[in-house]
């Protein structure tokens, strides 16, 4: 501290000693550079994931003896992922995927971005998922089928959209898992009926690992 104080004094009062002055400026610049680098790359701000729109026009369960259970559904939604970091972009180290789940059982999966794809700093990516209506085999079990019948009676289905992937941020070594869960409550609105307005759902990210 004494040295630095001396240095300041030299800076402010002995202008002729330009060497000290230069040293002072150098130290201050290094401190500022370090602070900026720390703010830019020292801490990861986690992705912002939300479902901004969704519409469900069909959701039907068929149980065909002896053991096949299938879900036929028409669901389209808009998934929004934002990278809030102002300095760090990210790169997928595994494909980024959206999974549809009913009663904790995945019944469909979609690739949002390939392995190696990048998501620049500060940018928002919007994914519209609107597959043609499909039928998928699903393992719901007794409990899941009971849950389906319960929700079927109300006309409101609880479908979870999970976003899973793995990314690496610019200038960082660790790979970070991405796991977000978006619990949706979808009012079934077959064609010809008026759908209730969908309220944007913010997705919950699982607690990040160390260094992520
Ligand atoms: C579901 O999608 C299929 C194929 O896209 C379409 O033929 C059908 O009319 C849709 N059904 C409902 C209820 O939206
Ligand atoms: C769901 O409800 C519809 C009518 O509301 C009914 O026709 C259908 O059989 C029900 N499905 C199941 C699996 O209970």
């Amino acid at each position: 501290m004494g040295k630095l104080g001396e240095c300041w004094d030299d800076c402010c009062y002995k202008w002729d000693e330009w060497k000290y002055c230069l040293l002072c400026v150098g130290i201050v610049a290094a401190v500022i550079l370090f602070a900026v680098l720390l703010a830019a790359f020292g801490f990861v701000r986690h992705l912002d994931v939300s479902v901004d729109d969704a519409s469900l026009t069909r959701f039907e369960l068929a149980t065909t003896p002896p053991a096949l259970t299938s879900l036929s559904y028409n669901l389209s939604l808009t998934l929004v992922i934002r990278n809030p970091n102002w300095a760090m972009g990210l790169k997928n180290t595994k494909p980024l995927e959206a999974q549809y789940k009913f009663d904790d059982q995945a019944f469909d999966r979609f690739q949002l971005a390939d392995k190696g794809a990048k998501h620049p700093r500060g940018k928002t990516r919007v994914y519209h998922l609107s597959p043609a209506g499909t039928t998928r085999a699903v393992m719901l079990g007794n409990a899941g089928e009971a849950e389906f019948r319960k929700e079927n009676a109300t006309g409101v289905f609880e479908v979870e959209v999970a976003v899973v992937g793995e990314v690496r941020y610019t200038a960082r070594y660790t790979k970070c898992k991405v796991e977000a869960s978006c619990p949706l409550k979808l009012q079934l609105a077959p064609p010809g009926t008026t759908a209730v307005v969908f309220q944007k759902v913010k997705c919950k990210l699982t607690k990040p690992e160390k260094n992520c």
Side-chain angles (χ1 to χ4, degrees), residues 61 148-149 152:
L61 187 72
F148 181 91
R149 280 191 295 274
N152 189 45

Side-chain angles (χ1 to χ4, degrees), residues 1-68:
M1 237 25 241
K3 268 269 178 282
L4 201 63
E6 226 169 86
C7 179
W8 276 119
D9 287 346
D10 287 337
C11 244
C12 300
Y13 303 118
K14 299 187 198 166
W15 287 104
D16 50 328
E17 299 201 33
W18 59 273
K19 272 188 210 156
Y20 284 109
C21 206
L22 218 58
L23 185 67
C24 271
V25 170
I27 289 172
V28 169
V31 167
I32 290 175
L33 184 68
F34 179 73
V36 168
L37 285 177
L38 189 70
F41 302 109
F43 310 95
V44 172
R45 294 182 62 200
H46 298 108
L47 295 178
D48 244 354
V49 184
S50 64
V51 175
D52 286 23
D53 196 15
S55 99
L56 183 71
T57 56
R58 180 169 64 141
F59 207 67
E60 291 161 8
L61 187 72
T63 42
T64 321
L68 275 178

